[in-house]
Amino acid sequence: MSDERPARMLDEKITERIRTMPDATPPTGFAVRVMAGIEPKRPSVWTRFKLWSTRPRSVTFTPVRLVPALAVVVLLIGVGWFSLSGNQPSPPMVRFMLRDPGMQARSVAVIGSFNDWKAEHAHMRFDRKTGVWTVELSLPPGDYEYMFLVDGRTLVPDPEAPLSHDDGFGNRNSILFVNGSHEQAL
Amino acid sequence: MNKLFRKLAVFSFAAVLVLDASIVLAGPVASSEAAAVVRECGVSASIIKQVDAGVDGGTVTEADGVALLAFFARICRAGLPSAPFEAKLAEGLAKKVPSIRIIPVLETMERQYALAMKILSDGNVVDADSVALLGDGLAKGVPVEVFRGYVEQYGTQERVMFRNGLAMTSFLAQAGFDYALTGNILETGFKADSLTTPWRYFVRVVLLARKRGIDDVRLAEAARESLAGGGSPADVASALGFTSRDLSGRSIHR
């Protein structure tokens, strides 16, 4: 408590002295020299990015301007998509058929080396008019082996396939050759 | 910024490791010594996954599962392509064939692919595509002499055409096409530098032509004429009188 008092008195004296000092005009160019002496601090890339990305902005538009802008965006997306997908020839479609005039099967799928012998994505549809199970698959050029899976358990080779071979497990795999997008009906 | 990218990269790598470990270390066979060898050799995790699925599904015993992985480690060390063996394993498992019957089939394939590798090595023409083509041909019953003769005669040809000719030879032999006729077609194709990729599947023209009663000798003549003029198998079909619909249609009807 006794230490604080002289200190406070000293503060008051200093304050009074400053208050009564005469006004002085700074020399010409003083402020400019001071500012020039201060090293500018550049924020980091991340700080600038954060500031830029979090700064709120206002966008104004009118429907008259918005419609043509949207049309240009849609056109650009369309052209981009077409140039990516349009130039590449799509793999040829191959139709698999199994005749079943009496509709003895309840379900048929084609399994083969093109789908890892899994029936999930190769279930066939039955056409009552023709009595034929069919499915169309898009296959890249190559040679494939396949069989029909009837009722989820019976393996049946394609009776119309011109080539087949022993699969080593006691069945005969039918063989299919697919060329490029030309000559597909061969 | 750099710190952020580093953090993201480390996080992604850790996520991939965790995912990979969950795939590979999921089943009973995955932790075996054979699985470790298979992984070390660079065989895909899908084989281990397939074997484990077989063990879980009851078509593969645990002992056979380990034997299967040991088999894949062996073919990996021998430098044989694993894809055809993986495909055969997938086929066997999908057809619900017991593992005791899958293993001998894979071992037969192993001998055929090793023979394919030897034939190609003797001709200094070893590459993965050729090994797969030749091994597949042998597995489908093409006589070994056919391939020996082909490699001896055409081993010095340009690589892409060599492989096209090899595929054509294999497929034609599978269809029972006389090798002497195949040889005449190949000779013309190599001489005219026209044995392009579509000729790999010339067998399709052969099969369709046979259905129409066209004999193989006439087919071979038409093929030679087409190759001499730089043509394609479609030109052969046209020359033999197939309809334009046959040539331009987009569906194969089976």
Side-chain angles (χ1 to χ4, degrees):
Chain A
M1 193 77 168
S2 58
D3 291 340
E4 280 181 9
R5 201 173 166 198
R8 199 168 60 235
M9 285 174 66
L10 184 63
D11 283 352
E12 282 170 2
K13 274 185 183 174
I14 291 169
T15 307
E16 184 56 31
R17 185 69 62 85
I18 290 169
R19 195 177 293 139
T20 55
M21 276 175 75
D23 287 341
T25 312
T28 315
F30 176 77
V32 175
R33 284 200 304 278
V34 169
M35 292 308 287
I38 297 170
E39 183 95 12
K41 194 184 174 191
R42 191 173 164 77
S44 68
V45 176
W46 171 243
T47 309
R48 277 183 284 148
F49 172 74
K50 213 163 93 174
L51 287 169
W52 173 81
S53 60
T54 53
R55 189 185 307 141
R57 288 173 179 79
S58 306
V59 179
T60 56
F61 63 88
T62 63
V64 174
R65 285 180 183 168
L66 186 66
V67 170
L70 280 176
V72 169
V73 169
V74 168
L75 188 73
L76 286 174
I77 291 171
V79 167
W81 182 81
F82 183 76
S83 62
L84 280 176
S85 61
N87 291 336
Q88 294 167 350
S90 54
M93 296 301 290
V94 178
R95 185 187 299 169
F96 294 89
M97 296 167 66
L98 180 65
R99 295 181 201 287
D100 180 16
M103 206 194 163
Q104 291 170 325
R106 276 171 295 164
S107 72
V108 180
V110 61
I111 58 170
S113 50
F114 42 78
N115 60 8
D116 285 336
W117 302 90
K118 286 174 186 152
E120 282 86 19
H121 303 293
H123 287 287
M124 301 171 81
R125 279 177 292 107
F126 186 69
D127 185 339
R128 286 178 188 280
K129 280 184 192 167
T130 56
V132 177
W133 293 89
T134 58
V135 69
E136 282 199 359
L137 301 177
S138 174
L139 299 181
D143 58 302
Y144 301 99
E145 295 176 39
Y146 67 99
M147 290 193 85
F148 295 118
L149 182 65
V150 177
D151 294 337
R153 59 176 188 278
T154 309
L155 291 164
V156 178
D158 186 346
E160 293 181 37
L163 270 184
S164 65
H165 88 107
D166 184 355
D167 70 351
F169 304 129
N171 308 296
R172 286 202 77 78
N173 287 342
S174 304
I175 298 177
L176 164 70
F177 298 101
V178 180
N179 210 339
S181 53
H182 303 297
E183 317 149 27
Q184 283 315 308
L186 291 176
Chain B
M1 190 73 165
N2 286 340
K3 274 184 184 173
L4 182 76
F5 280 130
R6 270 203 299 273
K7 277 180 189 171
L8 276 173
V10 169
F11 177 77
S12 308
F13 184 63
V16 167
L17 280 180
V18 168
L19 190 67
D20 197 44
S22 68
I23 290 167
V24 171
L25 301 174
V29 181
S31 55
S32 69
E33 200 181 319
V37 175
V38 168
R39 275 195 292 267
E40 200 177 304
C41 198
V43 173
S44 73
S46 76
I47 293 176
I48 303 170
K49 205 177 162 192
Q50 274 192 62
V51 174
D52 265 333
V55 173
D56 290 341
T59 50
V60 180
T61 62
E62 278 196 32
D64 282 348
V66 173
L68 278 168
L69 292 186
F71 169 82
F72 276 100
R74 194 168 70 226
I75 60 155
C76 179
R77 278 195 296 259
L80 296 175
S82 70
F85 297 92
E86 280 184 58
K88 200 67 189 172
L89 173 64
E91 180 188 344
L93 293 175
K95 289 178 175 175
K96 301 202 176 1
V97 178
S99 52
I100 198 164
R101 284 176 56 207
I102 295 176
I103 293 171
V105 172
L106 290 175
E107 285 170 343
T108 304
M109 272 180 77
E110 181 191 11
R111 285 192 291 276
Q112 287 157 340
Y113 275 73
L115 180 57
M117 186 84 108
K118 184 171 184 325
I119 292 169
L120 291 164
S121 298
D122 290 346
N124 291 318
V125 283
V126 180
D127 66 75
D129 192 20
S130 299
V131 173
L133 279 168
L134 214 155
D136 182 59
L138 289 172
K140 286 179 180 155
V142 177
V144 67
E145 294 76 27
V146 168
F147 289 126
R148 278 219 178 95
Y150 179 84
V151 171
E152 274 171 23
Q153 202 162 354
Y154 302 112
T156 54
Q157 295 290 338
E158 188 269 328
R159 294 296 82 195
V160 174
M161 284 207 192
F162 172 82
R163 286 193 290 269
N164 291 340
L166 183 62
M168 186 170 90
T169 301
S170 177
F171 297 144
L172 286 176
Q174 287 172 44
F177 199 82
D178 183 57
Y179 184 64
L181 293 176
T182 306
N184 292 340
I185 297 170
L186 290 168
E187 200 64 47
T188 310
F190 282 122
K191 205 174 277 179
D193 215 19
S194 57
L195 211 56
T196 52
T197 305
W199 283 97
R200 281 184 171 221
Y201 304 106
F202 174 61
V203 65
R204 297 175 60 229
V205 181
V206 172
L207 296 173
L208 193 69
R210 281 177 178 172
K211 266 189 183 176
R212 293 165 185 232
I214 299 167
D215 67 66
D216 290 358
V217 175
R218 202 177 143 206
L219 259 167
E221 275 171 23
R224 289 181 67 187
E225 275 173 30
S226 175
L227 279 163
S232 70
D235 299 325
V236 179
S238 297
L240 293 171
F242 296 1
T243 65
S244 60
R245 188 180 170 280
D246 287 333
L247 293 165
S248 60
R250 291 190 52 79
S251 294
I252 297 171
H253 297 267
R254 297 243 159 250

